[in-house]
Amino acid sequence: MPGTGVETSHIPAAVNKIDASKFEQQSSPSVVPTMLINVPSVSTTNESGNSFEPDLQFRGFLATPLTGTPIGLAVYQNGVRINEPFGDNVHWDFIPPDAVHSMDIVTANPVFGLNALGGAVVVQMKNGFNYQGAENDFVADSYGRVQDSFQWGKQDGNYSAYFAIDGAHEDGFRQRTSSTIRRLYGDIGYKDDRSEVHLNVTAADNFFNAPATTPVELLNQDWSAVYTTPQSDALKMGMISLQGNTALTDTVTLAGTLYYRYFSDHHVDGNDTDVQVCDNTSLLCFTDGTTPAIGSNGQQLPNLFPKDAVLGEIDRNNTRTNGWGGSVQMNDTATLNGMDNNFVFGASLDMAESNFNANTELGTVDPNTFVVTGNGQFLGFTTSDQGSIGPVKLNTTNTYLGVYGLDTLDVTKRFTLTLGGRFNFANIDLSDLLQTGSNSLTGSHQYARFNPVIGATYKITPDVLGYASYSESNRAPTPLELGCSDPNLPCIIDTFLVSDPDLNQVVSRTVELGLRGKTNLSGDQTLGWNLGFYRTDNSDDILNVVAPIGMTFGYFANVGKTRREGVEAAVNYTKGDWSLFASYAYVDATYQSYITLNPPSGDPAGDGPVNVVPGDHISRIPAHHFKFGLDYNVNDRWTVGGNVLAVGNQFFGGDESNENPKLPGYATVNLHTTYQVTKNMQFHAEIENLFNKRYYLNGTYFDNTSSVGSLVGGTNTDTVTPGKPFSVYAGLKVTF
């Protein structure tokens, strides 16, 4: 556990650690592909549809940039929690890979606070003490990507400095998916024999076109096709943090962190609409031919669109968050009754204020399903029997307090016992700046829970270690989920909030056991391996539920019990100039409660209720993951290698009763090479998807009977995220 001083051999859970050298092997401007290759149970469904903005799935739990997706992983950068306070989502694009010193993907452990249902990702950035020198890396690829990164680090006695800046632009292999990334990270440090202090700054200004899924029949005509655009995110982030630690005695260390973080997201989403021309009038109606569509002036909207125009809408929302907080941790390594012992005690406080605004403007849809606006018709409060849509102005405040302790005791030279827990308290206040009355979003919600952890490791032989643990974690509902949790007043997910009935917090209970080992074989051969099993049961899990009316309406609800369980196996082998790795992970994600849901629009199974029974698989979670990689040093200058990533099939999003055909699995072959041209200049290249295999990362359904859906034609209602075709990257890295 980073920061606690606990040795890896004493951690009673699977250990997934990635060092800086792994990130240096990747040309991607995102950290996710490196995790995808190196961690057995990591996969991505890339719901955004943009390779610059991927999501991360670990053991069936998500950490995604998409607001409105239930999150099950906690993410930390230099000890600061970077899950966004409004929706708990994670923007991986804010982390420059070249500036990462190490990354730990930790399995379920309550010490990591809220959202660590499936685990936590702990990122430690570089500083001038662990990186010296200067390096510039320029990369270009076959889809208009141009990226450049520069990093510099220096130590001068007790002082250090580190700076990294990078930028990237890509046209993308899909239409209207151009993206731009601009980031910087800096650190100033001081260290002496007893203390160390770091002041660091992270900033990003990124823009993504992220068109999500495309109907299969459009992709059959053109692999680059997109559906209902524009869909974009303009993101800004700035964070300053101060970390320090000092040795109070020979065995007691005190550490602390303070931070301030700013975040903004301007989201534009072109969509189909539930607005239509009223029956026998020249006015507009909502969801049917009789319910008036009210404009921002409080009057029913007239039909100002051309005859036979296909109507759509642009949904816009803005989120601005100011967050601040800190943590303090004491670590005592004094022996206990002659036994080696490591005791950690700490507390954290995270506070944030968010402002969320949203509106909808009506427009027309061109033959390429691009929504065009221009007549200035904005929807006001429009309410049918079960749905509501209108502008939103919401202010929210989050206060998260945590107090934790963890003790690791070497009972014998072979047997180590871990015992601890964390108390979490969450207070979430919503203040509706626009709505009044029974539909008001104003409300206050409190959640509290103590989560224990107990585990043990046992050294069976000098080279083989066994481990077992039990832990609990929880997550509080987000302000977004609380603002859209009324089944009688569903909303457009992630855009419009209408009321805030309470939701229960999600609680996870995880059992984990396994074996791992590392052996130095004869000569220059080494072998490392691990084999593990886990089961995580969630109670009061939160799901994004489809509403019975309209094509785009839904709400968040507690749906009972779910389970993620599986097996992970990995092996690493080196011999001289050769190195290889292989891993397999099985993730079995199922519902454990009876649930009745409304079918999504376009569900091939029909319009009847979706009856989920215990044992049905959770959609969008592939069961099988196989990874293999090989590297060979041809000579002192030239290295070649490659990897294979294989992912099993999965159920389409919305097919929670498992009645329809699955989204097919896939496998890709990727190659890479480096050549040291001179002492200070290195050429590197990658080929992604060598055999140009067509595959899908994610799937759901769309309504092909709607006015926009009819533009697609055909009968197939599957809509999917296409995988990246054959692509070539080439770069030149220069060190100074």
Side-chain angles (χ1 to χ4, degrees), residues 490-504:
C491 58
I492 298 178
I493 298 300
D494 107 319
T495 305
F496 293 101
L497 313 180
V498 290
S499 71
D500 73 332
D502 217 349
L503 290 170
N504 296 328

Side-chain angles (χ1 to χ4, degrees), residues 78-95:
N78 289 345
V80 177
R81 185 178 187 268
I82 59 172
N83 294 74
E84 303 301 342
F86 187 68
D88 280 339
N89 50 315
V90 179
H91 288 279
W92 299 105
D93 52 281
F94 290 159
I95 304 174

Side-chain angles (χ1 to χ4, degrees), residues 284-534:
L284 295 178
C285 285
F286 183 67
T287 70
D288 55 32
T290 59
T291 302
I294 305 301
S296 56
N297 61 358
Q299 303 297 316
Q300 186 171 3
L301 291 170
N303 179 20
L304 302 179
F305 298 101
K307 184 179 180 181
D308 299 325
V310 177
L311 300 189
E313 64 185 49
I314 295 288
D315 300 315
R316 300 181 179 92
N317 66 68
N318 292 274
T319 307
R320 287 184 174 85
T321 300
N322 288 282
W324 56 93
S327 61
V328 61
Q329 179 174 291
M330 186 271 293
N331 189 7
D332 188 356
T333 58
T335 58
L336 181 65
N337 294 328
M339 297 177 287
D340 289 340
N341 189 59
N342 190 315
F343 175 67
V344 176
F345 181 79
S348 66
L349 176 65
D350 297 279
M351 303 178 69
E353 181 179 9
S354 300
N355 287 286
F356 178 83
N357 301 281
N359 61 54
T360 280
E361 182 180 5
L362 296 178
T364 59
V365 184
D366 70 15
N368 295 316
T369 68
F370 188 87
V371 183
V372 181
T373 60
N375 62 16
Q377 287 188 300
F378 287 85
L379 285 174
F381 290 105
T382 302
T383 306
S384 68
D385 291 339
Q386 292 180 300
S388 180
I389 188 172
V392 171
K393 291 185 178 181
L394 178 68
N395 176 271
T396 69
T397 59
N398 307 53
T399 302
Y400 297 150
L401 174 66
V403 180
Y404 60 92
L406 189 73
D407 192 75
T408 304
L409 178 66
D410 290 344
V411 180
T412 70
K413 292 182 178 181
R414 290 187 171 188
F415 178 67
T416 300
L417 178 67
T418 297
L419 183 66
R422 176 174 176 130
F423 174 78
N424 290 324
F425 172 78
N427 184 85
I428 302 170
D429 292 324
L430 287 74
S431 179
D432 194 332
L433 305 181
L434 191 61
Q435 294 186 27
T436 59
S438 60
N439 293 349
S440 175
L441 285 164
T442 299
S444 182
H445 309 264
Q446 289 82 35
Y447 303 92
R449 195 173 199 279
F450 176 78
N451 297 310
V453 58
I454 183 171
T457 62
Y458 185 77
K459 190 173 290 187
I460 302 171
T461 72
D463 296 327
V464 179
L465 181 82
Y467 63 85
S469 64
Y470 171 81
S471 65
E472 298 181 6
S473 295
N474 74 299
R475 85 167 180 91
T478 67
L480 171 66
E481 292 169 336
L482 291 167
C484 183
S485 56
D486 189 343
N488 296 315
L489 287 169
C491 58
I492 298 178
I493 298 300
D494 107 319
T495 305
F496 293 101
L497 313 180
V498 290
S499 71
D500 73 332
D502 217 349
L503 290 170
N504 296 328
Q505 61 185 337
V506 184
V507 176
S508 70
R509 298 170 175 85
T510 298
V511 175
E512 187 167 357
L513 55 91
L515 299 168
R516 59 175 175 261
K518 186 173 183 179
T519 304
N520 293 319
L521 304 175
S522 60
D524 54 359
Q525 302 178 74
T526 61
L527 176 68
W529 58 273
N530 63 271
L531 175 65
F533 164 82
Y534 66 90

Side-chain angles (χ1 to χ4, degrees), residues 37-112:
I37 292 171
N38 290 281
V39 182
S41 289
V42 163
S43 63
T44 180
T45 56
N46 202 348
E47 293 185 49
S48 74
N50 187 307
S51 60
F52 275 22
E53 199 179 28
D55 54 49
L56 175 76
Q57 191 178 107
F58 175 63
R59 292 186 172 182
F61 291 91
L62 273 171
T64 171
L66 293 186
T67 306
T69 303
I71 305 299
L73 298 172
V75 183
Y76 291 86
Q77 178 182 319
N78 289 345
V80 177
R81 185 178 187 268
I82 59 172
N83 294 74
E84 303 301 342
F86 187 68
D88 280 339
N89 50 315
V90 179
H91 288 279
W92 299 105
D93 52 281
F94 290 159
I95 304 174
D98 284 347
V100 174
H101 175 63
S102 67
M103 179 180 290
D104 293 82
I105 295 86
V106 184
T107 59
N109 189 314
V111 170
F112 293 96

Side-chain angles (χ1 to χ4, degrees), residues 676-682 733-736:
Q676 200 71 34
V677 182
T678 69
K679 179 181 178 181
N680 301 103
M681 184 180 298
Q682 182 191 84
K733 185 181 296 184
V734 179
T735 57
F736 306 94

